Amino acid sequence: MRSIYKKALFTVLATFAILIYGLSQSGITFGGPKNDRGVRSCKTSENSLVTVGVTERENKGEDIYVVKTDLNGKLIWEEYFGGEKDDAGWDMVETDGGDNYLITGWSNSYSVAEDEDVILLKISKNGKIIWQKTLTKEGNERC
């Protein structure tokens, strides 16, 4: 039952973002058959909508999930980022004049001590990873 609520939360966030940016469609959903959560949506300089969050993948735990749509809600691309353990995206900003996005979140996959660490990802406007950095210190850190 919990899966239904998380899928509904991602749907509500995507629909809310679409309404905020003046779109007329509603009920648009993205993600897979398991738990998905949209955390932050941003209208880009090229008039598209990028949403970052987290998705639960088959036999893999959670990964950072990024979805880019046009302003009508039509999927342009979706990408997953993460390792063998849990990772989540929490925020994003457009950078480099709209050519790239900087994503922040947390990762358990790349931690040295099995803790949750802050992760930074820079991806292109086409969803391809440019670089990834994990900020590690003792204990759990999230942003």
Side-chain angles (χ1 to χ4, degrees), residues 3 6-7 30-37 53-66 78-88 109-110:
S3 175
K6 288 183 178 180
K7 177 71 87 174
F30 301 98
K34 294 198 160 239
N35 301 322
D36 304 294
R37 296 181 300 279
V54 60
T55 187
E56 187 177 352
R57 300 189 63 195
E58 278 303 317
N59 304 318
K60 197 167 181 291
E62 295 181 332
D63 277 340
I64 296 168
Y65 183 46
V66 185
E78 63 183 341
E79 291 292 339
Y80 306 89
F81 303 99
E84 294 299 316
K85 296 182 183 170
D86 290 339
D87 309 280
S109 293
Y110 305 105

Side-chain angles (χ1 to χ4, degrees), residues 45-109:
S45 61
E46 60 183 11
N47 287 319
S48 60
L49 187 65
V50 177
T51 301
V52 65
V54 60
T55 187
E56 187 177 352
R57 300 189 63 195
E58 278 303 317
N59 304 318
K60 197 167 181 291
E62 295 181 332
D63 277 340
I64 296 168
Y65 183 46
V66 185
V67 176
K68 185 174 185 177
T69 66
D70 66 15
L71 292 181
N72 293 315
K74 181 180 177 191
L75 182 66
I76 297 171
W77 54 257
E78 63 183 341
E79 291 292 339
Y80 306 89
F81 303 99
E84 294 299 316
K85 296 182 183 170
D86 290 339
D87 309 280
W90 287 112
D91 206 352
M92 57 123 351
V93 64
E94 189 176 47
T95 186
D96 299 328
D99 287 337
N100 302 304
Y101 309 117
L102 185 62
I103 297 169
T104 61
W106 63 266
S107 174
N108 190 249
S109 293

Side-chain angles (χ1 to χ4, degrees), residues 111-130:
S111 174
V112 176
E114 302 282 326
D115 295 325
E116 296 168 352
D117 293 319
V118 173
I119 189 167
L120 302 171
L121 296 157
K122 187 174 187 179
I123 64 171
S124 72
K125 66 181 177 181
N126 298 318
K128 302 305 174 203
I129 194 160
I130 297 169

